[in-house]
Amino acid sequence: STSSTAIFEAGLFHLVTAMLLLNYFLSVMVHPGAIPDKSEDPSWDYDAGEAAQPLASDTGLSMQEAKRSGDRRQCKWCLKYKPDRCHHCRVCRMCILKMDHHCPWIYNCVGFRNYKYFFLLLVYTCIDCHLIVWTMIPSVREGCSPETPFMKMFLLLFGETLAGFLGLLVTLFLGFHIYLMLSAMTTIEFCEKSQRRGSLEPPLYDRGIVGNINAVLGDNPLLWFVPVNGPKGRGLTFVTEDMRLTKDMEVGRGIRRKAHQKGEIQNVAPKRRSDRPQSTGGGTGSTGQSEEDSFSGSGSDEVSSRAAPEPDLGSSKDPVEGSYGATGSSTGFQAP
């Protein structure tokens, strides 16, 4: 039974190690994804001499992230417009689609196209370290006897300690990336959210637990732990019908529509009041005079009371336009 257990453990270890090396190779060699060139899609080309395009002219990709001015984000080094979740890496000297971070251990950026391979690299590294730690315990226990040679005892203890230390670090790192995957965030987005202290905003691109996993590991659960069948799409847009962001956008449109209708009612109401004839009677004429006084400041002169509503109508529009502008300016997500 001891030999069969040893064969099983050795076979499992070499299988996991093979998957580890394969995912490491793919993480290094696969490009994380970049913005299309001008020859491929000229809509992403940015001319520094021209004014930046507003977010509304985003080529129909339903982009959400914009500058504080409301214009599309652009890269001053690559001279291209940035899609959502895209950032410039100064090490790679290019903009990376859905950039997570630049990893020195693979000497590559972790982005849209190779994030699955990087995630599986963490998974199989964690499994390998735990296999070493837990299967070496009987050998370490026997190696601590006084009859064991010093070099053999040293190598056993050193290997167990090293595997345990690395296993702990990789397990914590894998747990962090599992949290990011389930929360539909990248490392950069997590850091940006943590800088906004007290922010209780939900993740912007949340699609539910299963949807978030599919966005990283692919839509086939049988191939989640195999380095094939990556996420769908080009990495240029991340807005889908099942996202919480899409539902919030619909609610926001309804709120803005109601605010616009309310503004129109407030804009028409002063015109109707100004068209009413003034009352010249004593006791009951005070209401008509106070209405005209609110527009012209005087109720004794008929000419001044009729001429005054023109500037007053303009003043009644100002709060409506201001409130509607403030509501409309919050439609796009402002990226820092």
Side-chain angles (χ1 to χ4, degrees):
S1 62
T2 305
S3 61
S4 60
T5 302
I7 293 174
F8 172 76
E9 292 177 354
L12 180 60
F13 174 79
H14 284 85
L15 176 62
V16 175
T17 303
M19 295 297 294
L20 186 156
L21 295 175
L22 176 60
N23 284 281
Y24 180 79
F25 175 79
L26 293 174
S27 299
V28 174
M29 300 304 298
V30 174
H31 196 283
I35 304 175
D37 294 329
K38 184 177 181 180
S39 58
E40 182 180 356
D41 190 352
S43 62
W44 298 102
D45 187 62
Y46 167 68
D47 188 357
E50 298 179 357
Q53 298 180 3
L55 189 65
S57 59
D58 59 356
T59 66
L61 292 176
S62 301
M63 292 193 301
Q64 303 304 314
E65 299 178 9
K67 300 173 64 177
R68 297 186 183 276
S69 60
D71 298 331
R72 294 176 63 184
R73 299 189 307 139
Q74 68 270 2
C75 179
K76 61 182 180 181
W77 290 287
C78 299
L79 295 180
K80 293 181 180 180
Y81 286 106
K82 291 182 179 180
D84 292 342
R85 315 180 83 174
C86 177
H87 300 275
H88 185 87
C89 177
R90 296 188 178 182
V91 180
C92 298
R93 297 182 180 180
M94 66 176 61
C95 289
I96 304 299
L97 299 179
K98 195 186 175 183
M99 181 177 176
D100 188 89
H101 68 285
H102 182 88
C103 182
W105 301 104
I106 63 175
Y107 198 69
N108 195 7
C109 269
V110 180
F112 177 74
R113 300 188 185 279
N114 66 343
Y115 184 79
K116 178 178 181 178
Y117 309 133
F118 177 79
F119 183 84
L120 293 181
L121 172 63
L122 295 180
V123 170
Y124 290 113
T125 303
C126 183
I127 295 175
D128 241 355
C129 289
H130 281 278
L131 277 175
I132 295 173
V133 170
W134 299 110
T135 57
M136 279 186 63
I137 290 179
S139 300
V140 172
R141 187 178 301 156
E142 294 179 1
C144 293
S145 62
E147 295 80 11
T148 305
F150 172 78
M151 185 56 65
K152 182 178 180 180
M153 182 187 302
F154 171 78
L155 293 176
L156 287 173
L157 293 176
F158 178 76
E160 183 75 2
T161 305
L162 182 61
F165 179 72
L166 293 178
L168 177 62
L169 294 181
V170 175
T171 301
L172 294 176
F173 195 41
L174 175 62
F176 173 68
H177 275 275
I178 291 176
Y179 165 75
L180 292 179
M181 178 179 65
L182 297 180
S183 302
M185 289 190 298
T186 62
T187 301
I188 294 178
E189 293 167 355
F190 174 81
C191 295
E192 291 176 348
K193 184 177 180 180
S194 62
Q195 290 177 358
R196 298 191 293 267
R197 298 180 179 178
S199 176
L200 298 178
E201 298 178 357
L204 189 61
Y205 302 100
D206 187 17
R207 299 170 54 186
I209 295 178
V210 178
N212 294 338
I213 297 176
N214 291 337
V216 174
L217 303 180
D219 54 2
N220 189 350
L222 299 177
L223 302 177
W224 278 354
F225 296 97
V226 182
V228 294
N229 190 41
K232 303 298 181 182
R234 302 172 56 193
L236 299 176
T237 180
F238 300 92
V239 178
T240 58
E241 297 180 356
D242 57 342
M243 290 176 55
R244 184 181 302 174
L245 172 63
T246 307
K247 299 177 182 178
D248 293 342
M249 289 170 58
E250 295 297 331
V251 174
R253 292 192 187 101
I255 295 175
R256 291 193 298 273
R257 190 180 301 110
K258 292 180 181 179
H260 181 63
Q261 293 174 356
K262 183 179 179 180
E264 290 180 348
I265 294 175
Q266 293 177 355
N267 191 17
V268 174
K271 293 183 180 180
R272 294 180 178 177
R273 290 198 298 266
S274 62
D275 292 340
R276 295 177 184 175
Q278 295 186 21
S279 206
T280 57
T284 59
S286 59
T287 305
Q289 183 174 351
S290 63
E291 281 188 18
E292 295 299 329
D293 288 344
S294 64
F295 289 102
S296 63
S298 172
S300 59
D301 192 352
E302 182 179 358
V303 177
S304 63
S305 63
R306 291 183 179 178
E310 293 183 0
D312 294 321
L313 285 175
S315 63
S316 65
K317 289 182 181 179
D318 291 340
V320 177
E321 292 181 358
S323 61
Y324 180 70
T327 307
S329 63
S330 61
T331 55
F333 173 77
Q334 295 181 354

